[in-house]
Amino acid sequence: MSNSNAEEPLEASKHNVVQIEHRAQVVEDAAQINDIDEEQIAQFRRFAGSDANWHRGMTKKVMRKVDLHLLPLLVLMYLLNFLDRNNLSQARLGTLEEDLNMSGTDFNLATSILFVGYLLMQLPSNLLLTRARPSVFLGIAMGIWGVISASQAAVQSFGGLVATRFFLGFAEAPFFPGAIFLMSSWYTRAEMAHRIAWFYSGSALANAFGGLFGAGVLSNLSGAHGITGWRWLFIIEGTITVAVAIIAAFILPNYPTTTKWLTPEEQAYAQWRLVDDTGEADLADASSIKEGVKMAFKDPRLYLFTLLQHVSILSQAFQYFFPTIAKSLGYGDIETLLLTVPIWITTFLVSLVATWTSSHFNDRSLHIVSLMLISVAGNIIAVSTLNKAARFFALFLMPIGAVTSYEIILAWVANSFPRPLVKRSACISFANVIGNSANIYGSYMFPESDGPGYLPGGAATAGVAFLVAVLALVTRFVLQKENKRLEEQETSELQGTEVENREAVAPGFRYIL
């Protein structure tokens, strides 16, 4: 028994030695590929030998700069991305349908057609992102969708609206997965979930203040200069988007090694942190696009995460009809938009807390399960009664559960496909493509004819939300098994045994559960 106990620290020591040696070799390889000079290679070696207090201070210093330069702009860009995509639901409370002679499921079609264009452009655009400067690429994409969004004000028929919405989706496609991909090139796996919550707050703020903004435009600008309120809504929001796009192209950072507002030491440390986190260097040219795509599609975990993201997005189908569902409480158009504000502000605050605890406890699946059960309860309450107080409470529970869990899922996807960079980009894009296809048919879950109870849509959404919880547990069990296999693989290698079909991950890497 004593011999066994003595061997345990020895085995742990061997594991640590293997991990340290691997990371050192990765740093050396990265230096050679990028023609890094000897001075910077020496910095990498110094980082590896520094104590924990020094790392805490340096991480705080670098992350303060990164957060300040990256997050506020990404939040603003996503806020406008979500506004330009969802302002159709606010325009509907004006005279949109009347002016364009829309009836039946016309509004559902106008909503869903955006995602057809969105899906077609997603994967190719984000593979190109790995070969372009993200600041310029995302800035140009934003400028294009801003122009198209504003041009919706000029449509004179339902067909014109459908065509414009299709191209709006086409132009918006690069942004969301591109932003997630860009953040994953700056933040470690432990930091991603909370940062994604801040980024995703753009949607919550868009839902909250978009309602306020829409109420102000529809009530105060309707008829101004002979232009109806919903047309003003598209003009103003599209113009703001174009202005921010120009700023983004000049301010948004690219990658750690090419960012001018970091000192050479900070650039090296920002890159070193990612190597230390996953045991792999985050290099744009580490593999070709073709190789990266092949690696992505050969990974069976991609399909499990894609299914999880798909049903998670389907569980949020109510977002595109939130003002319409809220209107079933019996209030007027402007009051309805104002009622949605506290709901989305609360969702934003809860998401910050939930994603912080997810990162702090290094957990994804159990948080997702807990949150999705809250969403299930909200949907059940919403379809079980027409009592105003109960339904208003349910409207809080639905996004608090579904939206917050989706933020954690996004981080989980990015965390589970660490390197190489092209593979991670392909995985994030593919999961987002298939995931967002849920919006095409999800937009038909709440037809106006089902109001005011919306029983079919609410019941279906409750079932889908429960399925998300189940899939999160399945994913947890799959990754637990993978982690056990990785541990056995490393133990065998330490004992000098050759491992067949070895998975290409760094020694010490484990999937977050």
Side-chain angles (χ1 to χ4, degrees), residues 88 91-92 95-111 155 157-159 161-162 165 230 448:
L88 196 65
R92 188 185 194 186
T95 59
L96 171 75
E97 291 180 300
E98 179 184 345
D99 292 347
L100 300 183
N101 297 315
M102 295 168 61
S103 61
T105 58
D106 285 350
F107 178 81
N108 305 76
L109 176 59
T111 301
V155 301
S157 65
F158 171 62
L161 178 65
V162 168
R165 298 284 296 176
W230 64 268
E448 196 169 13

Side-chain angles (χ1 to χ4, degrees), residues 207-393:
N207 277 311
F209 297 107
L212 283 174
F213 185 77
V217 172
L218 292 177
S219 62
N220 296 312
L221 286 180
S222 185
H225 302 286
I227 301 174
T228 55
W230 64 268
R231 295 185 191 275
W232 276 117
L233 191 65
F234 290 137
I235 292 171
I236 294 172
E237 291 181 355
T239 302
I240 294 173
T241 298
V242 172
V244 172
I246 296 172
I247 297 172
F250 290 98
I251 295 181
L252 198 66
N254 295 302
Y255 300 115
T257 54
T258 60
T259 299
K260 294 180 179 178
W261 40 261
L262 292 176
T263 66
E265 181 187 35
E266 290 167 345
Q267 287 180 353
Y269 187 71
Q271 177 71 12
W272 182 87
R273 292 172 70 251
L274 302 179
V275 176
D276 186 61
D277 181 46
T278 64
E280 302 288 348
D282 203 21
L283 305 173
D285 53 358
S287 61
S288 68
I289 289 178
K290 183 179 179 181
E291 290 171 343
V293 171
K294 286 176 66 177
M295 291 172 67
F297 289 134
K298 286 182 178 179
D299 192 332
R301 286 174 293 273
L302 171 62
Y303 304 102
L304 180 58
F305 277 109
T306 298
L307 178 60
L308 177 63
Q309 188 166 336
H310 181 90
V311 293
S312 176
I313 290 176
L314 186 59
S315 73
Q316 302 173 66
F318 60 82
Q319 286 194 71
Y320 300 100
F321 304 90
F322 213 68
T324 302
I325 297 172
K327 192 176 180 180
S328 68
L329 296 175
Y331 298 101
D333 293 343
I334 305 304
E335 292 83 356
T336 295
L337 289 175
L338 296 176
L339 278 174
T340 64
V341 175
I343 295 172
W344 291 108
I345 290 177
T346 303
T347 299
F348 165 58
L349 295 176
V350 170
S351 71
L352 292 182
V353 174
T355 53
W356 182 86
T357 59
S358 172
S359 295
H360 182 73
F361 294 105
N362 221 25
D363 169 78
R364 302 289 184 263
S365 56
L366 299 183
H367 277 72
I368 293 168
V369 170
S370 302
L371 288 163
M372 290 314 300
L373 292 179
I374 292 174
S375 185
V376 169
N379 280 282
I380 291 175
I381 294 171
V383 301
S384 300
T385 179
L386 292 178
N387 178 273
K388 288 185 179 180
R391 297 198 91 192
F392 188 56
F393 176 64

Side-chain angles (χ1 to χ4, degrees), residues 50-57:
S50 298
D51 61 31
N53 288 331
W54 183 87
H55 279 291
R56 276 195 292 271

